[in-house]
């Protein structure tokens, strides 16, 4: 972080209500160069088709020219290329892909916004913040339900949050801290940008493109005001019992000690969201009685479950006979992983075995790094078994003459073994 950014951090930390001036000057060549370095080497290309490697061949010249356009007010964000990522039940998630130069500007703006708002964000917020993670949010959830006795869980889902975010409200929220209008104009150019979806061009009036570098910090700033501060300053003061919220960007759960408090907040939450152009999903927002089952209850699992950050959370009887919080891969997320594995094996069945093995290993390791938490071994083992079966199935279809029976495939697995499921992240008893 540059010395000038450190000054912004210190001022924001010292005075939580101070407005920041002279921020646009921080988008200098060094900031643009840092933003370029943070872009992944294999990042998807925007509408102009320029890769990071191609842009970097004349990096110094390109950065100086980009900085000149920014100072002169001549920079314009090019249209965002929209792609659709498959989701569960045949649905898709629209992702916006910007050009390299636009990613650099967004990255530099994000760096400044983070310097300000990291001093404001509350401990309940875990998404897209340095030193915080989804696993940290899950640990906090485990502590909330297991140790703190907050047995009424409000599971909430905001419909199309990034597409629904009210830009006028966002600008008002930002201006509480950002007084530099030149800086605000640059943010506006990142928001008021056209979208190219195949051959169809549109210019949305609301929202910020999901997938853009600047979207996570803007989403966090929006919900910090709309949800976090409101819950901490207004809601909790009006409740009879204890309450807590855990948020990871637009995914959040609330825990309550008393049912009447939970029901009251649910009613208030609908109105609060509506005031800021947001809508809670009617089928995915619900109140759950998640109290610990009694020791006399039969069976090894509790009846109540809810979903959070790709996991299904439930009560499970531990070996000692007591009840503990358990987490398993959410059914839809597991199915998505299974489908992706099968599709890879089908499409790449004619590739060299070594390359197939390396790619499958990367996919499985990536899955385990996130979902490898206490108590989730069965879901991970199911994925490995599925991968072995479908790898064998499609390798067996490479040739009609030489079939690959199961015995020969087992020998192949000795040379090219797939990763075994393992616990990568400890959740139980580690609140964060």
């Amino acid at each position: 972080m540059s010395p000038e950014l450190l000054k912004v951090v210190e001022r924001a930390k010292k005075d939580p209500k101070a407005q920041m001036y002279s921020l646009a000057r921080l988008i200098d060549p060094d900031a643009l160069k840092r933003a370029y370095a943070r872009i992944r080497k294999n990042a998807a290309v925007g509408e102009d088709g320029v890769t990071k490697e191609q842009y970097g061949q004349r990096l110094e010249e390109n950065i100086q020219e980009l900085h000149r356009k920014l100072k002169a007010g001549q920079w314009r964000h090019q249209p965002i290329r929209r792609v659709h990522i498959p989701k569960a039940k045949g649905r898709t998630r629209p992702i916006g892909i910007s050009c390299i130069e636009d990613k650099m500007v967004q990255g530099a703006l994000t760096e400044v916004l983070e310097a300000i708002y990291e001093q404001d964000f509350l401990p309940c917020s875990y998404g897209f913040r340095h030193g915080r993670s989804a696993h940290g949010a899950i640990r906090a959830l485990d502590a909330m339900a297991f140790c703190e006795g907050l047995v009424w869980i409000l599971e909430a889902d905001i419909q199309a949050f990034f597409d629904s975010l009210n830009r006028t409200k966002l600008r008002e929220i930002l201006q509480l801290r950002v007084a530099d209008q030149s800086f605000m104009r640059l943010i506006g150019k990142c928001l008021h940008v056209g979208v190219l979806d195949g051959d169809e061009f549109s210019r949305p009036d609301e929202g910020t493109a999901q997938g853009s570098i600047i979207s996570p910090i803007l989403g966090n700033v929006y919900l910090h005001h709309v949800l976090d501060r409101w819950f901490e300053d207004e809601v909790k003061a009006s409740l009879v019992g204890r309450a807590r919220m855990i948020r990871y960007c637009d995914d959040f759960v609330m825990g309550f000690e008393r049912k009447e408090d939970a029901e009251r907040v649910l009613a208030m939450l609908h109105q609060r969201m509506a005031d800021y152009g947001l809508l809670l999903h009617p089928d995915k927002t619900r109140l759950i009685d998640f109290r610990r089952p009694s020791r006399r209850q039969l069976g090894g699992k509790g009846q109540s479950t809810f979903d959070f950050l790709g996991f299904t959370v439930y009560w499970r009887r531990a070996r000692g006979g007591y009840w503990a919080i358990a987490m398993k891969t959410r059914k839809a997320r597991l199915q998505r992983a299974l489908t992706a594995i099968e599709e890879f094996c089908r499409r790449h069945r004619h590739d060299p075995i070594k390359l197939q093995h390396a790619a499958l290993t990367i996919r499985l390791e990536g899955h385990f790094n996130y979902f490898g938490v206490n108590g989730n071994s069965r879901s991970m083992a199911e994925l490995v078994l599925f991968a072995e079966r479908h790898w064998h199935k499609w390798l067996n279809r490479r040739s009609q003459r030489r079939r690959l029976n199961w015995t020969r495939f087992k020998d192949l697995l000795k040379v090219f073994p797939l990763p075994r499921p393992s616990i990568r992240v400890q959740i139980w008893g580690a609140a964060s």
Side-chain angles (χ1 to χ4, degrees):
M1 187 176 290
S2 70
E4 293 299 317
L5 268 179
L6 285 173
K7 292 179 182 178
V8 173
V9 169
E10 290 304 317
R11 181 155 188 241
K13 189 183 300 183
K14 184 177 179 180
D15 187 351
K17 294 185 179 180
Q19 287 188 306
M20 304 294 169
Y21 295 86
S22 301
L23 296 176
R25 65 184 178 83
L26 300 177
I27 314 300
D28 57 17
D30 287 339
L32 294 171
K33 191 175 295 185
R34 290 194 299 271
Y36 173 83
R38 290 192 294 268
I39 298 173
R40 299 192 328 271
K41 291 182 180 179
N42 60 343
V45 298
E47 189 54 33
D48 60 1
V50 177
T51 66
K52 180 181 180 180
E53 181 182 3
Q54 291 169 337
Y55 189 88
Q57 290 173 0
R58 300 176 56 198
L59 184 60
E60 291 298 332
E61 297 174 45
N62 288 333
I63 285 179
Q64 291 300 326
E65 176 60 17
L66 175 58
H67 183 242
R68 184 196 66 77
K69 288 191 288 187
L70 287 167
K71 286 186 67 176
Q74 297 173 346
W75 173 76
R76 295 291 182 273
H77 199 298
Q78 297 187 53
I80 291 173
R81 181 169 68 89
R82 175 170 286 171
V83 297
H84 296 269
I85 306 300
K87 290 179 63 178
K89 299 181 180 179
R91 295 175 297 172
T92 60
R93 183 191 303 276
I95 300 295
I97 301 174
S98 302
C99 301
I100 292 294
E101 276 199 346
D102 298 336
K103 289 178 181 177
M104 292 164 61
V105 175
Q106 289 183 34
L109 291 169
T110 297
E111 187 178 57
V112 176
L113 288 173
E114 287 177 345
I116 300 169
Y117 285 99
E118 269 300 317
Q119 322 316 314
D120 296 351
F121 290 154
L122 301 181
C124 64
S125 172
Y126 287 85
F128 304 105
R129 295 181 58 192
H130 297 298
R132 292 182 155 243
S133 67
H135 291 132
I138 294 167
R139 290 190 187 100
L141 175 64
D142 175 70
M144 180 179 78
F146 186 76
C147 304
E148 299 173 18
L150 304 182
V151 298
W152 292 96
I153 302 296
L154 176 54
E155 177 189 6
D157 181 85
I158 303 175
Q159 284 192 175
F161 168 69
F162 285 101
D163 294 333
S164 305
L165 183 151
N166 185 300
R167 293 175 183 170
T168 301
K169 295 283 189 183
L170 174 62
R171 184 177 185 86
E172 293 172 359
I173 292 168
L174 286 170
Q175 286 178 330
L176 295 174
R177 279 299 236 166
V178 178
D180 185 337
Q181 293 308 306
S182 296
F183 188 85
M184 290 296 297
R185 278 193 292 273
L186 289 176
I187 292 177
K189 289 180 180 182
C190 294
L191 289 171
H192 300 277
V193 60
V195 175
L196 199 59
D197 193 342
D199 295 328
E200 183 179 340
F201 180 83
S202 63
R203 195 178 291 276
D205 295 325
E206 299 296 345
T208 175
Q210 191 167 357
S212 292
I213 290 173
I214 200 171
S215 290
I217 183 65
L218 293 179
N220 265 342
V221 170
Y222 200 71
L223 288 179
H224 168 74
H225 178 86
V226 174
L227 198 57
D228 302 358
R229 285 257 66 109
W230 171 73
F231 185 80
E232 289 295 324
D233 299 342
E234 299 180 35
V235 173
K236 289 174 72 172
S238 68
L239 302 181
V240 177
R242 292 176 294 111
R244 183 178 179 185
M245 183 178 69
I246 300 166
R247 181 175 67 81
Y248 188 93
C249 201
D250 60 324
D251 291 327
F252 66 96
V253 293
M254 296 176 176
F256 300 88
E257 183 182 11
R258 303 170 69 94
K259 182 180 181 181
E260 56 269 29
D261 285 342
E263 291 174 336
R264 183 173 170 224
V265 172
L266 177 56
M268 295 166 62
L269 188 60
H270 281 283
Q271 185 58 53
R272 180 69 176 180
M273 292 289 112
D275 290 343
Y276 287 86
L278 304 175
L279 180 66
L280 293 176
H281 197 295
D283 299 326
K284 297 180 180 179
T285 301
R286 60 197 182 107
L287 189 60
I288 304 130
D289 182 353
F290 198 66
R291 71 188 70 213
R292 189 196 312 258
S294 69
R295 277 186 169 270
R296 294 189 297 273
Q297 180 172 318
L298 299 177
K301 292 184 180 180
Q303 295 181 349
S304 298
T305 68
F306 65 94
D307 296 327
F308 187 55
L309 299 180
F311 291 92
T312 295
V313 186
Y314 63 102
W315 287 101
R316 186 178 71 171
R317 196 184 294 275
R319 291 180 180 179
Y322 63 90
W323 290 96
I325 300 289
M327 299 179 191
K328 62 182 179 181
T329 309
R330 187 172 168 231
K331 188 175 181 180
R333 289 292 295 269
L334 180 59
Q335 185 57 52
R336 192 190 311 172
L338 298 176
T339 301
I341 290 287
E342 181 178 13
E343 184 66 13
F344 171 83
C345 293
R346 183 183 70 83
R347 287 180 176 272
H348 296 272
R349 62 186 181 274
H350 295 296
D351 291 355
I353 299 292
K354 186 175 182 179
L355 293 181
Q356 291 188 50
H357 172 258
L360 283 171
T361 297
I362 290 172
R363 283 165 169 76
L364 291 171
E365 288 286 350
H367 185 91
F368 298 159
N369 285 340
Y370 183 77
F371 288 101
V373 304
N374 316 70
N376 197 28
S377 298
R378 182 175 296 179
S379 294
M380 293 189 291
E382 181 181 340
L383 181 62
V384 174
L385 182 60
F386 182 93
E388 289 180 350
R389 287 176 176 173
H390 282 271
W391 196 22
H392 171 250
K393 170 185 173 180
W394 290 107
L395 286 179
N396 204 25
R397 298 189 181 187
R398 285 168 32 128
S399 172
Q400 294 294 328
R401 295 181 179 180
R402 192 180 182 191
R403 309 297 287 183
L404 181 66
N405 60 36
W406 192 252
T407 300
R408 288 179 53 215
F409 179 68
K410 285 291 187 182
D411 292 336
L412 182 145
L413 285 177
K414 293 177 182 177
V415 181
F416 298 103
L418 294 179
R420 297 293 95 187
S422 62
I423 303 304
R424 311 291 176 89
V425 182
Q426 295 290 332
I427 297 296
W428 295 339
S432 175

